[in-house]
């Protein structure tokens, strides 16, 4: 199955996995309160990111990329969604309000699944017009949608195991949807359009710069998906709904910004993103200091939009070089999610 239908199914599968990865975020600060350690939320979030980094490192190997890509993409993605389901079972089994050990195990398993799935699905999507923007929306925007859904269900009275149990239906359904998708011509080490002979300096630059850009952009997103939602939620009395809404707004802004700006020239898009980053950073600092909830949420959305545009730019730069380059770029993005989050408890101690 190829063409528009296959692309849509691949995007939906990626979005389902991305959305589910955000489901636990609405309870991070509550688990942290139960354990009494400021490291709890950071470790739960970072464990998922480290597992993704490990999986992306494996996918980035040319031999692995060659085996996993191409006609088998749909079947491999479906298998990874089933692995994600196994991780979801661990999350559901974790007793509330704590259950740190099982939550940690579940986050590692779901991280491994998502880490391998993301570059494979992105490589397939990137073959189509505006494919990187669709992938960015599926990778980042779906995380925001998942956080909002989890927060909304929690506000409606659903228990944590019940909310996390949604993944036991969502993920297998996505696996069934995507298993017959075939993506012809997704390559491993380099893209078909890449020059055969280039200098080592050019090769290093082409491989490093997208990863560094992805690192910088997802560093912002990581803080707004783990520790900062609790800070913002404190302005509203610690409500889990506000924590989920904070993550949701930031990630939805990140996922949707490039799609909404799709018709504009790249130079203008980048200028708007820079302006949003400056305004968002200044506004967030002022709002948190003043205890202004609406201002904090609006500024977070601006920062998310800027980060999403930057992440898409990184994918666009890596996509012509193939699956290996995409996996390395997205691995850089995952490191951006992990390292600032781990540093945050030290900085604010």
């Amino acid at each position: 199955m190829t063409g528009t239908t296959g692309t849509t199914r691949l995007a939906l599968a990626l979005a389902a996995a991305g959305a589910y990865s955000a489901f636990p975020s609405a309870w991070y600060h509550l688990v942290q309160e139960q354990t009494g350690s400021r490291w709890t939320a950071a470790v739960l979030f970072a464990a998922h990111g480290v597992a993704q980094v490990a999986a992306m490192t494996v996918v980035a190997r040319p031999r692995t990329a060659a085996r996993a890509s191409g006609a088998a993409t749909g079947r491999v993605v479906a298998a990874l969604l089933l692995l994600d389901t196994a991780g979801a079972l661990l999350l559901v089994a974790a007793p509330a309000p704590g259950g740190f050990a099982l939550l940690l195990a579940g986050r590692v398993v779901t991280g491994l699944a998502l880490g391998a799935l993301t570059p494979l699905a992105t490589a397939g999507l990137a073959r189509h017009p505006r494919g990187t923007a669709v992938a960015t929306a599926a990778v980042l925007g779906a995380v925001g949608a998942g956080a909002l859904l989890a927060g909304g269900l929690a506000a409606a009275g659903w228990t944590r195991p019940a909310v996390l149990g949604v993944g036991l239906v969502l993920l297998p359904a996505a696996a069934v949807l995507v298993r017959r998708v075939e993506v012809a011509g997704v390559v491993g080490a380099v893209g078909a359009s890449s020059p055969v002979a280039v200098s080592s300096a050019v090769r290093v630059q082409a491989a490093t710069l997208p990863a560094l850009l992805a690192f910088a952009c997802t560093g912002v997103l990581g803080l707004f998906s783990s520790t900062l939602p609790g800070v913002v939620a404190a302005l509203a009395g610690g409500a889990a709904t506000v924590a989920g809404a904070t993550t949701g707004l930031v990630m939805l802004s990140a996922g949707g910004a490039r799609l909404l700006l799709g018709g504009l020239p790249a130079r203008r898009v980048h200028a708007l993103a820079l302006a949003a980053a400056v305004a968002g950073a200044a506004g967030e600092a002022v709002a948190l200091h003043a205890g202004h909830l609406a201002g904090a949420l609006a500024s977070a959305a601006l920062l998310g939009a800027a980060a999403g545009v930057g992440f898409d730019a990184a994918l666009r730069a890596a996509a012509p070089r193939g699956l290996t380059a995409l996996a390395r770029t997205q691995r850089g993005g995952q490191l951006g999610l992990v390292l600032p989050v781990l540093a945050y408890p030290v900085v604010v101690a």
Side-chain angles (χ1 to χ4, degrees), residues 17 60 94 137 140 142 153 159 176-177 225 235 275 295 308 347:
L140 303 180
L153 292 176
T159 63
V176 172
L177 189 70
S225 301
L235 302 179
V347 173

Side-chain angles (χ1 to χ4, degrees), residues 22 25 43 68 78 96 104-105 135 142 158 167 173 185 187 191-192 201 207 240 257-258 262 269 329 335 342:
S25 63
V43 169
L104 181 61
W158 287 41
V187 293
R258 192 62 185 87
V269 170
T329 297
L335 288 171
L342 288 177

Side-chain angles (χ1 to χ4, degrees), residues 46-79:
H48 190 259
V50 169
Q52 288 190 65
V53 168
M56 288 173 177
T57 299
V58 174
V59 174
R61 295 174 180 172
R63 182 175 298 179
T64 305
R67 290 179 177 176
S69 61
T73 297
R75 294 192 295 274
V76 174
V77 170

Side-chain angles (χ1 to χ4, degrees), residues 114-239:
L114 184 60
L117 185 156
T118 299
L120 282 170
T122 301
L125 293 171
R127 290 177 47 81
H128 300 274
R130 301 187 69 191
T132 60
V134 172
T136 299
V139 171
L140 303 180
V143 173
L148 288 175
L149 176 60
L153 292 176
W158 287 41
T159 63
R160 190 181 76 188
V163 174
L164 296 178
V166 172
L168 303 180
V169 176
L170 178 68
L171 298 173
V176 172
L177 189 70
V178 79
R179 66 187 177 87
R180 296 184 62 186
V181 172
E182 297 180 357
V183 182
V186 176
V187 293
V190 295
S193 61
S194 298
V196 175
V198 293
S199 70
S200 60
V202 171
R203 287 199 300 270
V204 170
Q205 184 182 54
T208 303
L209 291 183
L212 289 175
L213 178 58
F215 177 91
C217 294
T218 56
V220 174
L221 300 179
L223 290 174
F224 276 102
S225 301
S226 57
T227 53
L228 288 180
V231 176
V232 176
L235 302 179

